[in-house]
Amino acid sequence: MALTGKDLDHAAALLKEGKLVAIPTETVYGLAGNALNEDAVLSIFEAKERPQFNPIIVHARDLEQIQGFVADISAAAKRLADTLWPGPLTILLPRITDIIPDIVTAGSPMVAVRIPQHPMTLDLLNKLEFPLAAPSANPFGYISPTTPQHVAQQLGDKISYILDGGPTKIGVESTIVTFEEDQVIVLRLGGVSIETLEMFMGKVKIQASTNDDQPLASGMLRSHYAPVTPFRQGDVKLNLSEVDPEQCGIISYKSFYPEVPESQQRVLSPQGDLHEAARRLFAAMRELDHMRLKLIFAEIFPEVGLGKAINDRLRRASQPHS
Ligand code: TXA
Ligand code: MG
């Protein structure tokens, strides 16, 4: 079982040896390895049981480090980076192929990059001479971890150390973007809202993948984030009328449903704060999933701000398992 702790020097030493360490970020916990070391990256795929066509995000300490492994940062990308990094935003940039191994990008000429906003992980990156490749620290296809305990439960026996940075602040993964000319194309909804992107960059285009065999971003596989318990997003009242409410779990925005035992319900934000709801979403999905209920129902959240990313995750959780 991996040790959990706050020892940055220990974490840095392990990473330098090519070992894996779970790291906190502001979005979700990542399963990190040396991005420039092919064997380390391979062991990330093994630990997650993740198909290798699925590329991994590279986490860097600052723009200077990024300039060491990308061929070019367009003026528009630079503007976005200057505005939102460190933060829950991932940008696709052309990689220098001699530096970033093929396995990191699944052969693509573009590497996904972000500067995470977590003091502990930034300190860790400052102790290292290489950037960190890190997908979310969950088995492939399951809900992303937002606490060190989530990581330990599922990957504890496969990694060397879990760096404990507390529960994550944002709770959904980063927003992934690329550019067409100077227009921002959103490949995955996430911690930076569409409204925020548009405030800085003008109209953006949301490009949802429909092809599960060749996902642009793994969050785009339809059945991603799926709990084990059958899951359905929609009109909860209507759904409840068709089943025995005693056997159901519910994820709602602001209030309880009187038909269902309160212990089987997670109200994500009684005050109606979508940031709070996003922060609590994945832990709520896990807790209900562990209760061995017949069905979990989730409301449709308001389609604004982080509500879009919340609905995206709930919709994917509702897809039948592949
Ligand atoms: O918030 C986050 O983004 C977290 C934390 C740990 O940083 N990471 C995360 O990684 O969610 P992951 O691997 O679970 O999802 C990122 C997705 C990948 O599955 C992949 O499909 C997409 O980003 N991606 C990575 N590199 C890419 C590339 N070169 N081109 C296109 N998509 C890429
Ligand atoms: Mg993931």
Side-chain angles (χ1 to χ4, degrees), residues 108-322:
S108 163
M110 305 297 272
V111 58
V113 186
R114 83 182 190 99
I115 303 177
Q117 188 176 46
H118 192 292
M120 208 174 225
T121 289
L122 285 171
D123 285 350
L124 176 65
L125 283 163
N126 274 301
K127 289 178 182 286
L128 301 169
E129 275 161 11
F130 47 82
L132 292 173
S136 53
N138 51 279
F140 182 70
Y142 197 66
I143 304 160
S144 294
T146 55
T147 67
Q149 292 76 27
H150 293 165
V151 181
Q153 281 160 15
Q154 293 192 301
L155 293 178
D157 53 348
K158 298 194 175 154
I159 52 189
S160 300
Y161 192 60
I162 300 170
L163 199 54
D164 181 357
T168 61
K169 289 221 160 62
I170 292 182
V172 290
E173 300 85 350
S174 61
T175 301
I176 303 179
V177 301
T178 187
F179 286 87
E180 262 170 28
E181 307 288 328
D182 283 350
Q183 188 182 27
V184 172
I185 314 293
V186 177
L187 301 176
R188 179 176 72 181
L189 296 163
V192 172
S193 69
I194 299 299
E195 290 88 335
T196 300
L197 284 174
E198 293 195 328
M199 189 159 73
F200 297 113
M201 304 299 292
K203 192 81 192 137
V204 308
K205 197 156 98 188
I206 301 174
Q207 193 171 297
S209 164
T210 50
N211 183 350
D212 279 5
D213 298 330
Q214 275 279 302
L216 271 165
S218 92
M220 299 173 84
L221 288 171
R222 273 194 281 106
S223 70
H224 226 70
Y225 309 103
V228 176
T229 314
F231 196 95
R232 203 184 295 165
Q233 187 193 24
D235 183 328
V236 172
K237 272 250 167 304
L238 195 70
N239 275 316
L240 281 175
S241 65
E242 293 167 9
V243 294
D244 173 8
E246 295 286 322
Q247 306 208 38
C248 294
I250 291 177
I251 292 178
S252 64
Y253 187 24
K254 294 194 242 184
S255 42
F256 285 106
Y257 288 76
E259 306 89 313
V260 175
E262 284 200 4
S263 64
Q264 290 160 219
Q265 300 190 57
R266 294 294 177 275
V267 179
L268 297 188
S269 179
Q271 314 296 330
D273 172 357
L274 287 168
H275 283 91
E276 182 182 38
R279 188 157 64 234
R280 298 184 55 199
L281 175 68
F282 288 158
M285 287 167 75
R286 276 174 189 263
E287 285 161 18
L288 295 183
D289 198 23
H290 291 157
M291 288 184 187
R292 305 265 167 259
L293 300 161
K294 270 244 158 66
L295 268 163
I296 300 169
F297 294 132
E299 286 181 353
I300 297 170
F301 283 64
E303 266 288 317
V304 292
L306 289 191
K308 282 200 179 77
I310 294 173
N311 282 332
D312 173 81
R313 303 307 187 263
L314 291 172
R315 197 162 46 238
R316 288 174 202 286
S318 305
Q319 300 293 332
H321 294 217
S322 50

